Amino acid sequence: MPCFRCFRNFGYFSPAVVNDTPKTLDTANTSGHVTGLYTPGRGEITSLDAGNIDDILNSAGVALVNFYADWCRFSQMLHPIFEESSNIVREEYPDATQVVFARVDCDQHSDIAQRYRISKYPTLKLFRNGMMMKREYRGQRSVTAIADFIRQQKVDPIKVIENLEEISTVDRSRRTIIGYFETKDSDNYRTYEKVANILRDDCVFLASFGEVSKPERFSGDNIIYKPMGENVPDMVYMGSLTNFDLSYAWTQDKCVPLVREITFENGEELTEEGIPFLILFHQRDDTESLEKFQQEVARQLISEKGSINFLHADCDKFRHPLLHIQKTPADCPVIAIDSFRHMYVFPEFSDLAVPGKLRQFVLDLHSGKLHREFHHGPDPTDSTPGQPEENGEVASNPPESSFQKLAPSETRYTILRDRDEL
């Protein structure tokens, strides 16, 4: 498998091209100055400021916004590519409210940059009806790739069910939301459609209408969730079908798992969230260990959500960080924390069964105990005051972070070291 540095070459960090022709901007210039500065041309790129940003984004079905700085050479390289992509997409979607390409000069509008937590230039963020999507555009910076990305965003994420017998063939290895509606032309369905577009990458969305859906509409339009697993019971949405906030919150809770899988494709995104990882390394077919880990995370650590990312990783694909903590795939399952400075190993996977032990492991990270004990040995909590420790040994330094290597690369972005730079 490729190492973490090789991940940079998986097509995510390809040279900027227009119509698949390499740009001629001098990317080898190391003087800190950009050659061939770009001047905006005929592209229909909307410049956003504090006075128009909310109105423009709220009225756009899909908006791709380039957060840039003129002094950033990567931003300069992207300008003509972004503009030509806009021109191509506009020909396919001439309605100005369907797709909007926009830009924010972060030097001129630092308040907007701070509002959207911009930490690197250029950053391409996707919005739907004014709501910023969690996943930004991190693909190849080419006209073709950006235009294809927008086309994908315009594909209807909802598959229409023509016969209720199709429900029996639903792939139970994926999370699925099914809506039963009397008609497509209804506020109920429009709300469902809006939610589906936002969570399209996290769940499969199905819908049926009229006579097909009638047997499932004995109490009116309704929405159900089919969890992963053959024998897991369905869950019914009990809230208002026209209340977007309630519908979105319920669907997000069902579609976005508490314990997410980390891959080479989403590693940069997860790393950029900036909070430590609690990771289970397991064999791909070892679902039992994953289920135990998920259960204990839900039981012990739900209050820590937001301060640490709960993840699982394929042992074979991520053997490099395992070697970093002196483990191999043969040792899996293994639980570890990556704080983005160091990695710490949970003593034994079997200790998951010890009440509160996983939670204490995470609390010891937050309190600094894990780091302190690696440098100075165990805290003398049980020793008699005034007596020297028996061994007097100082523990070695913990292994450095492996997953920090997945963070945005300086060969692709200008990284803001301190957000006060904005």
Side-chain angles (χ1 to χ4, degrees):
M1 290 303 299
C3 68
F4 284 103
R5 296 193 185 281
C6 296
F7 166 77
R8 301 290 177 198
N9 299 318
F10 282 8
Y12 288 81
F13 301 90
S14 303
V17 295
V18 174
N19 287 343
D20 302 321
T21 303
K23 296 300 296 177
T24 57
L25 291 175
D26 180 11
T27 58
N29 177 13
T30 57
S31 66
H33 299 287
V34 178
T35 60
L37 288 177
Y38 170 72
T39 301
R42 296 176 298 170
E44 295 186 45
I45 311 295
T46 303
S47 294
L48 301 178
D49 55 41
N52 68 4
I53 186 168
D54 290 328
D55 287 342
I56 290 174
L57 295 184
N58 288 340
S59 62
V62 172
L64 188 62
V65 181
N66 175 17
F67 293 84
Y68 72 96
D70 272 333
W71 47 264
C72 164
R73 68 188 180 104
F74 302 112
S75 295
Q76 286 292 336
M77 291 168 64
L78 180 60
H79 279 318
I81 297 167
F82 194 68
E83 181 178 291
E84 188 165 344
S85 301
S86 170
N87 291 338
I88 290 174
V89 170
R90 178 55 54 85
E91 291 179 2
E92 298 177 26
Y93 303 98
D95 184 344
T97 63
Q98 282 190 298
V99 178
V100 169
F101 276 68
R103 60 164 69 98
V104 174
D105 183 335
C106 293
D107 280 340
Q108 297 295 320
H109 305 289
S110 59
D111 54 332
I112 298 177
Q114 290 172 352
R115 173 179 171 182
Y116 293 110
R117 299 179 62 80
I118 303 303
S119 60
K120 63 189 184 307
Y121 302 136
T123 294
L124 295 178
K125 288 193 174 289
L126 182 72
F127 293 78
R128 289 185 178 277
N129 302 113
M131 178 181 286
M132 183 180 73
M133 300 296 95
K134 189 171 186 178
R135 294 180 179 90
E136 62 189 54
Y137 178 77
R138 298 175 187 270
Q140 188 182 57
R141 290 176 189 161
S142 73
V143 173
T144 300
I146 293 175
D148 283 346
F149 173 73
I150 294 298
R151 292 185 190 104
Q152 292 166 11
Q153 300 307 310
K154 294 300 294 179
V155 173
D156 190 344
I158 303 172
K159 178 186 176 183
V160 175
I161 299 170
E162 303 295 349
N163 189 315
L164 288 184
E165 291 181 2
E166 295 179 35
I167 302 299
S168 63
T169 64
V170 166
D171 182 357
R172 297 308 295 262
S173 68
R174 301 190 65 185
R175 296 171 178 84
T176 303
I177 305 289
I178 306 176
Y180 299 100
F181 304 95
E182 181 178 0
T183 176
K184 210 171 188 179
D185 184 19
S186 65
D187 290 338
N188 287 348
Y189 180 72
R190 280 187 280 272
T191 302
Y192 181 73
E193 189 176 35
K194 188 175 179 181
V195 171
N197 269 300
I198 293 170
L199 295 171
R200 61 197 294 144
D201 296 327
D202 301 298
C203 259
V204 174
F205 288 88
L206 307 175
S208 66
F209 306 93
E211 288 300 314
V212 175
S213 66
K214 191 172 182 178
E216 298 292 336
R217 290 189 291 106
F218 48 86
S219 59
D221 290 358
N222 70 92
I223 297 171
I224 68 165
Y225 166 61
K226 284 188 173 294
M228 296 169 63
E230 290 296 335
N231 300 314
V232 184
D234 296 346
M235 301 180 189
V236 181
Y237 173 62
M238 303 300 291
S240 167
L241 294 180
T242 58
N243 187 314
F244 169 76
D245 291 334
L246 286 178
S247 296
Y248 174 72
W250 182 85
T251 308
Q252 182 186 46
D253 179 65
K254 301 299 178 285
C255 291
V256 181
L258 183 62
V259 179
R260 295 177 285 177
E261 181 177 12
I262 185 168
T263 65
F264 286 110
E265 287 72 27
N266 67 5
E268 181 180 284
E269 170 194 326
L270 290 170
T271 303
E272 198 177 6
E273 289 181 14
I275 57 177
F277 293 170
L278 174 67
I279 313 175
L280 167 69
F281 296 92
H282 67 104
Q283 298 291 349
R284 170 59 64 183
D285 58 356
D286 181 12
T287 57
E288 182 180 352
S289 295
L290 176 57
E291 287 176 6
K292 288 180 180 179
F293 182 67
Q294 291 169 329
Q295 290 169 1
E296 291 306 318
V297 167
R299 182 178 292 121
Q300 300 185 39
L301 294 170
I302 194 68
S303 62
E304 297 301 313
K305 185 179 180 181
S307 66
I308 192 164
N309 264 325
F310 310 120
L311 306 170
H312 66 100
D314 185 318
C315 276
D316 291 317
K317 289 182 180 179
F318 285 88
R319 61 176 60 230
H320 176 78
L322 277 175
L323 294 173
H324 210 56
I325 55 177
Q326 299 181 336
K327 301 287 185 180
T328 71
D331 296 310
C332 289
V334 173
I335 297 173
I337 284 176
D338 192 318
S339 71
F340 297 149
R341 290 182 62 196
H342 299 292
M343 292 188 73
Y344 308 95
V345 183
F346 188 66
E348 297 289 341
F349 182 79
S350 59
D351 288 345
L352 264 184
V354 179
K357 187 148 188 177
L358 185 64
R359 175 175 172 78
Q360 192 59 53
F361 183 54
V362 172
L363 294 180
D364 287 348
L365 169 74
H366 294 325
S367 70
K369 183 179 179 181
L370 291 181
H371 189 261
R372 185 169 63 249
E373 289 190 342
F374 263 104
H375 282 291
H376 305 294
D379 284 353
T381 52
D382 298 323
S383 62
T384 303
Q387 289 187 349
E389 296 180 25
E390 291 184 9
N391 296 327
E393 296 179 357
V394 176
S396 59
N397 289 338
E400 292 184 356
S401 166
S402 271
F403 287 91
Q404 180 62 31
K405 296 180 178 70
L406 289 182
S409 169
E410 291 185 353
T411 64
R412 178 171 166 87
Y413 298 101
T414 298
I415 310 294
L416 300 182
R417 297 300 178 192
D418 186 340
R419 283 195 175 140
D420 288 342
E421 291 181 43
L422 292 173

